[in-house]
Amino acid sequence: MAIFPVRRMRRRRRNSATREILAESHLTRHNLVQPLFVCDGEGIDRPIDSLAGQFHHSTDRIGERALKVEEAGVPAVLLFGVPDQKDARGSGSIDPMGVIPRAIREIKQRAPDLLIIADVCLCEFTDHGHCGIVIDSEDGSYQVDNDATLEVLAKQSTVFAQAGCDIVAPSAMADGQVQAIRTALDGAGHDEVMILSYAAKYASAFYGPFREAAGSTPAGGDRLGYQMDPRNSREALQEVALDLEEGADMVMVKPGLPYLDIVSKIHDSFDVPVATYHVSGEWAQLHAAADRGWIDLDQAYMESLHSFRRAGASFIITYGAERAARQLGARG
Ligand code: PBG
């Protein structure tokens, strides 16, 4: 690769328009997805302590909020349910009148053009906080029963699809979950519904604030048995290959900034859209530092979002999506 033309460029004048046409990647509001938390109850728009600027919205209020997201120009939302009732089998997650199906119907009514992605997992619906059905062993190890979990995830997906969900996003990391969900969706006549797989989901400390928001901190044990080891990257490519084989339409890497190399590798190795999830702990870090006056929140946030685009992410799931979209405004 010749380097001297680059040296010559240094002497040329660059104004902001020049920077625009030379930019190697661009971020627009179309690249952003806003996560939303839906709870039971009525008339609730309750700020979440651990997640700056985020709320628990009851199902009767979620449509209003979704409309604001749509007006800001964000094309999609990712829904998480925070039900009042939880049990060992996460049965609230497959109830057609449950918190997520009700929210989906409400949003489709108020903001019909907004794309709805729904997280498919059990941790928000189980009293033990694990992502699947557990074999509640005496020693407190909370082993997940993979096959029993697959059944619930498949059912959950069809219930969400029935309510009008556009994309399901399985995040339980159960073996074979994408195939089980695809089969169930097709069998129920929902072959139009896409699957966004959390293919590379790491066992991360950065999920802390989310678990507080969703009340999904494991009661015992940890998620190391089903989430990926942060030291591995080739394993992520293998997970992606498997999920694509099983029928995933797009894949996700999570968390975001600490795993940019994974986004980049997937982007270079596969011809499918790769998404990234800038998770709760990353959002909290930005706010904690900004609150102390140590960094500029919006600048640092935008820089983070740009880095995802540079690495090759098609879209970014991020708590500041609405805020960023308003800033990008007419420019993007
Ligand atoms: C699991 C799920 C989690 C997050 C998204 N989906 C929690 C976990 O794996 O413990 C975390 C997202 C975040 O930290 O922002 N349903």
Side-chain angles (χ1 to χ4, degrees):
M1 221 194 291
I3 56 162
F4 74 91
V6 174
R7 227 186 300 142
R8 276 173 36 199
M9 285 285 282
R10 279 209 190 120
R11 305 166 61 139
R12 309 295 181 231
R13 189 187 317 115
R14 290 192 185 208
N15 58 23
S16 68
T18 325
R19 281 198 298 276
E20 285 303 319
I21 61 162
L22 294 179
E24 294 173 36
S25 62
H26 292 275
L27 170 73
T28 77
R29 57 192 171 74
H30 306 287
N31 304 120
L32 304 172
V33 175
Q34 177 71 51
L36 295 178
F37 294 89
V38 197
C39 64
D40 280 316
E42 274 173 35
I44 300 170
D45 297 297
R46 189 177 46 233
I48 301 174
D49 279 349
S50 62
L51 271 172
Q54 311 302 307
F55 295 82
H56 284 130
H57 298 288
S58 48
T59 46
D60 61 332
R61 303 286 308 148
I62 193 72
E64 185 84 10
R65 175 66 205 282
L67 197 59
K68 291 214 177 81
V69 172
E70 189 183 43
E71 280 164 6
V74 174
V77 291
L78 170 61
L79 299 184
F80 292 104
V82 189
D84 282 347
Q85 299 294 328
K86 303 190 185 211
D87 61 26
R89 301 188 62 83
S91 27
S93 73
I94 54 173
D95 179 356
M97 289 308 289
V99 66
I100 293 292
R102 274 187 283 139
I104 293 171
R105 284 192 289 266
E106 185 72 25
I107 294 171
K108 281 292 171 196
Q109 217 164 46
R110 296 296 303 275
D113 294 332
L114 199 62
L115 197 72
I116 302 182
I117 310 173
D119 188 75
V120 171
C121 194
L122 260 67
C123 69
E124 299 112 59
F125 298 91
T126 51
D127 50 12
H128 46 68
H130 278 280
C131 299
I133 306 283
V134 296
I135 306 158
D136 201 351
S137 51
E138 297 281 290
D139 61 2
S141 67
Y142 289 90
Q143 277 266 349
V144 168
D145 179 342
N146 198 78
D147 292 349
T149 302
L150 289 184
E151 251 176 69
V152 185
L153 297 175
K155 179 85 186 70
Q156 205 183 113
S157 303
T158 56
V159 168
F160 294 175
Q162 193 61 42
C165 177
D166 300 288
I167 302 177
V168 290
S171 72
M173 294 300 274
D175 273 350
Q177 62 181 11
V178 173
Q179 184 163 35
I181 290 171
R182 186 71 269 163
T183 307
L185 285 173
D186 292 349
H190 292 297
D191 44 4
E192 80 286 3
V193 172
M194 290 198 261
I195 300 179
L196 162 61
S197 146
Y198 285 70
K201 178 171 177 180
Y202 286 88
S204 171
F206 288 98
Y207 306 146
F210 173 95
R211 290 181 186 170
E212 208 177 309
S216 64
T217 306
D222 51 44
R223 301 208 206 288
L224 293 172
Y226 46 93
Q227 296 186 349
M228 283 178 46
D229 186 329
R231 293 171 297 186
N232 299 349
S233 65
R234 287 192 299 177
E235 189 188 354
L237 298 183
Q238 215 172 48
E239 292 279 356
V240 169
L242 277 171
D243 281 1
L244 293 177
E245 225 174 81
E246 289 185 29
D249 299 289
M250 45 198 142
V251 295
M252 191 204 300
V253 176
K254 178 180 159 202
L257 291 185
Y259 299 92
L260 280 182
D261 58 321
I262 311 296
V263 174
S264 173
K265 280 185 180 148
I266 294 174
H267 176 265
D268 292 348
S269 314
F270 299 92
D271 280 337
V272 292
V274 53
T276 175
Y277 195 148
H278 181 246
V279 301
S280 57
E282 302 179 77
W283 181 242
Q285 274 183 321
L286 283 174
H287 280 272
D291 286 349
R292 288 170 193 205
W294 290 343
I295 59 166
D296 179 282
L297 178 67
D298 288 318
Q299 271 180 29
Y301 183 44
M302 281 297 169
E303 185 177 330
S304 309
L305 296 180
H306 277 295
S307 75
F308 293 124
R309 294 286 291 150
R310 193 187 64 236
S314 295
F315 60 95
I316 306 151
I317 299 164
T318 175
Y319 296 100
E322 189 181 346
R323 177 190 180 113
R326 290 192 194 281
Q327 272 169 35
L328 289 164
R331 294 184 57 225

